[in-house]
Amino acid sequence: MSDAEPQAESHDRSQEEAQAAERLERAVRAAEQALIEFEIAVETFRVEVENFSRLHHQRLGPMYSRLDELDALIAEALAARTGDPEDLRKAREARGLVQPMPGVEELFHGWIDSEGLSPEAAAMLTERSVQPPPRVRPSEEARRIYRELARKAHPDLAEEEAERERRGAFIVRVNAAYAAGDEEALRALAEEWEAGPPPPERRASRSEELYARLEWLAERKEMLAAVAAELESSAIGAMIKMAPEDPDGLLDEIAEQLLAQVSEKEARLAELVR
């Protein structure tokens, strides 16, 4: 085989790799444009759902509140008539929906949690000062490891900027471990320093970078699809899909139905309180 043949094979292989990379480039650009359009569609629908939800609450919220109030009044009137324990229970439940009691955590504004009163809250209620946390006193061994690491890893010992930054980040971790008196963490840091810096990562080829980009684009689209599905399955999203061309008209239709229910319940209440 002549010297020219391996060179020709190498040239052909390089051409094939270049063509493959070019095809990947086109695929990535197409996927990016498709993702952008999909993101625009999802964001547009999200804004529509948000705006329609706000409008729905503004226009129909008072009607829903009135219906809840009427349900409670009707249940209370019925319970007053019968005195039946079950009717009394239903009346209490109906009233609870109209005026829900705030939770304990909400009442105390974060002073209390599942473990009881916080130290600050207890101190305020008992008029005692809050006890400061105990001071950490590093052991002699922790001090020894700390001094040794500080001497070895000090950023000023580096000649290149990248190494200086690496040492600076490392010393930050050393200082944090020493401040906490964590001897075990200091030992681990000492072992890490002795092992030396991690080897430089192999630079990915252009094809590998493009494949990774395609994978990221696919994951991003999958995530957006999940967001879109959640929006579409929500109550407001389903309402918008029922009348995509005239959502305001749908609100008017629901308002008429709610007003009819209000009139019906008001009539029922009038009968009970005669």
Side-chain angles (χ1 to χ4, degrees):
M1 181 183 295
S2 65
D3 294 339
E5 289 178 355
Q7 293 178 357
E9 289 179 2
S10 177
H11 177 71
D12 292 342
R13 191 160 50 250
S14 297
Q15 278 191 325
E16 290 175 2
E17 291 175 355
Q19 290 171 356
E22 187 177 343
R23 288 193 296 271
L24 274 175
E25 289 270 10
R26 290 196 297 268
V28 168
R29 300 290 89 78
E32 286 175 341
Q33 289 302 313
L35 181 64
I36 289 171
E37 294 301 322
F38 190 47
E39 286 200 34
I40 291 172
V42 172
E43 180 62 14
T44 300
F45 187 58
R46 187 194 66 77
V47 171
E48 288 178 1
V49 168
E50 186 176 290
N51 290 337
F52 190 77
S53 177
R54 188 179 298 110
L55 186 61
H56 179 273
H57 178 74
Q58 290 173 349
R59 291 190 58 185
L60 305 184
M63 296 184 189
Y64 287 121
S65 297
R66 179 58 179 163
L67 285 172
D68 287 342
E69 175 66 23
L70 286 169
D71 284 337
L73 291 171
I74 290 171
E76 289 166 348
L78 184 61
R81 270 195 175 191
T82 66
D84 184 87
E86 181 63 16
D87 289 338
L88 290 169
R89 183 188 66 78
K90 291 180 179 178
R92 287 193 299 270
E93 286 185 356
R95 178 54 61 188
L97 293 175
V98 178
Q99 297 177 336
M101 287 293 293
V104 173
E105 293 184 14
E106 184 180 349
L107 282 172
F108 282 89
H109 302 288
W111 283 15
I112 193 170
D113 54 24
S114 58
E115 298 181 357
L117 285 173
S118 67
E120 290 79 7
M124 292 182 69
L125 294 174
T126 58
E127 298 183 353
R128 291 199 305 266
S129 60
V130 179
Q131 293 296 320
R135 295 187 63 181
V136 175
R137 190 177 297 278
S139 66
E140 286 299 325
E141 180 64 11
R143 293 180 185 179
R144 184 191 66 76
I145 300 173
Y146 170 73
R147 294 193 195 99
E148 191 172 305
L149 283 173
R151 293 189 187 102
K152 289 181 178 179
H154 199 284
D156 289 347
L157 298 175
E159 296 181 0
E160 298 180 357
E161 184 61 29
E163 176 64 10
R164 186 176 295 108
E165 290 179 1
R166 184 181 80 88
R167 286 169 174 262
F170 183 80
I171 285 296
V172 167
R173 295 165 60 200
V174 170
N175 289 339
Y178 182 67
D182 193 337
E183 185 177 322
E184 192 63 31
L186 285 168
R187 290 184 187 279
L189 287 166
E191 292 178 4
E192 180 182 329
W193 182 259
E194 291 301 323
E201 296 183 1
R202 182 183 68 85
R203 182 174 177 80
S205 67
R206 182 56 180 158
S207 295
E208 290 172 332
E209 290 177 349
L210 291 169
Y211 274 120
R213 179 66 174 166
L214 281 174
E215 288 179 357
W216 181 87
L217 291 167
E219 291 172 1
R220 175 72 176 169
K221 186 174 182 181
E222 186 176 339
M223 183 272 290
L224 287 171
V227 171
E230 185 176 351
L231 287 170
E232 291 175 356
S233 64
S234 66
I236 297 297
M239 290 172 65
I240 292 177
K241 289 181 69 177
M242 287 171 58
E245 302 301 326
D246 187 20
D248 289 343
L250 179 61
L251 280 181
D252 293 337
E253 183 180 334
I254 296 173
E256 291 178 7
Q257 296 173 2
L258 292 176
L259 285 173
Q261 293 178 37
V262 167
S263 298
E264 181 182 335
K265 290 180 185 292
E266 285 178 339
R268 169 66 172 153
L269 178 62
E271 291 177 2
L272 289 171
V273 298
R274 278 180 193 169

